[in-house]
Amino acid sequence: DAMVIQNPRYQVTQFGKPVTLSCSQTLNHNVMYWYQQKSSQAPKLLFHYYDKDFNNEADTPDNFQSRRPNTSFCFLDIRSPGLGDAAMYLCATSRDRARGTDTQYFGPGTRLTVL
Amino acid sequence: AQSVTQLGSHVSVSEGALVLLRCNYSSSVPPYLFWYVQYPNQGLQLLLKYTSAATLVKGINGFEAEFKKSETSFHLTKPSAHMSDAAEYFCAVSDPGNTPLVFGKGTRLSVIA
């Protein structure tokens, strides 16, 4: 089945130690998104890629970076995690962004713990 | 900018009872509207979406929602709750064109046996 895969499902890191979260997709979608979701809150969009075009949300901290080496993979890098970065990180894809009707398909998420 | 308001952060219903989860939107143009469900420790799954076709939209798992422009609402309903419906439900809105999806704060549905 076509799907969005996130690895690892659970990640523990230390305060200030860089961490990378991974997302891959078999849907061949053009757009990949990264969301941060804190406990009992709505997902918050950090950034997205339309093909190789990177789009950062205005309020995304510089501590968060992303890479998309090819259509299938996208990475979220947190350069110096703080305690406030502990959250669920969700990856999603959509076929296109030009039409607001496109469904976003979500991966299962990576729960990040910062010690 | 568009936004959504979900009334009630937590709704509790008995098994077999009607489920009603409320969502009101604010948008300067006719929006596209979505309902997503999130089970514990999982990603979001699309239940249904409104894209300016029929105002009554049927989704998966017996859920449906009706777009009411006069009330700026897109409430989610299911005639008979099942234990497996217990989850977090998010309403989301996007405008036509190149805009990101905006989520509401979510409503946690509990189903009591």
Side-chain angles (χ1 to χ4, degrees):
Chain A
D1 289 339
M3 57 177 59
V4 181
I5 302 162
Q6 290 188 244
N7 286 305
R9 293 292 313 277
Y10 300 90
Q11 176 73 58
V12 180
T13 191
Q14 292 181 334
F15 183 93
K17 185 176 181 181
V19 65
T20 295
L21 309 182
S22 169
C23 177
S24 64
Q25 54 126 343
T26 61
L27 297 161
N28 202 32
H29 282 171
N30 287 320
V31 192
M32 295 187 77
Y33 308 79
W34 279 105
Y35 289 87
Q36 179 192 63
Q37 185 181 26
K38 295 189 176 180
S39 182
S40 301
Q41 295 185 24
K44 177 181 178 297
L45 183 64
L46 295 173
F47 25 61
H48 74 275
Y49 274 95
Y50 179 70
D51 196 11
K52 295 182 180 180
D53 180 27
F54 178 70
N55 297 269
N56 201 28
E57 292 302 299
D59 57 354
T60 298
D62 292 340
N63 198 27
F64 292 86
Q65 303 288 323
S66 185
R67 296 170 283 135
R68 189 179 186 186
N70 54 53
T71 300
S72 301
F73 284 87
C74 195
F75 300 97
L76 170 62
D77 301 308
I78 308 176
R79 293 193 294 187
S80 181
L83 297 179
D85 297 327
M88 176 77 89
Y89 290 87
L90 297 167
C91 175
T93 73
S94 66
R95 184 177 297 111
D96 195 4
R97 70 175 183 188
R99 297 170 296 153
T101 58
D102 270 1
T103 297
Q104 290 190 22
Y105 295 84
F106 285 80
T110 295
R111 182 167 296 282
L112 178 68
T113 300
V114 182
L115 300 177
Chain B
Q2 70 272 33
S3 65
V4 288
T5 301
Q6 292 185 241
L7 295 176
S9 60
H10 183 209
V11 170
S12 184
V13 300
S14 298
E15 190 174 21
L18 172 71
V19 176
L20 171 61
L21 304 181
R22 299 177 186 274
C23 172
N24 288 88
Y25 68 89
S26 170
S27 177
S28 58
V29 298
Y32 301 129
L33 293 155
F34 305 77
W35 275 101
Y36 282 85
V37 61
Q38 185 178 32
Y39 298 100
N41 292 314
Q42 294 189 28
L44 279 69
Q45 179 184 8
L46 181 71
L47 276 176
L48 49 80
K49 65 181 180 182
Y50 167 75
T51 59
S52 73
T55 56
L56 181 62
V57 182
K58 294 188 183 298
I60 62 172
N61 301 338
F63 284 94
E64 64 181 36
E66 186 172 8
F67 174 71
K68 292 187 176 180
K69 185 177 179 180
S70 61
E71 299 177 8
T72 61
S73 69
F74 190 58
H75 300 332
L76 182 71
T77 60
K78 182 174 180 178
S80 177
H82 192 272
M83 297 296 289
S84 61
D85 296 326
E88 190 87 19
Y89 291 80
F90 292 95
C91 182
V93 64
S94 73
D95 285 338
N98 187 14
T99 58
L101 202 59
V102 175
F103 286 90
K105 292 186 176 181
T107 297
R108 183 162 61 92
L109 175 67
S110 298
V111 181
I112 303 167

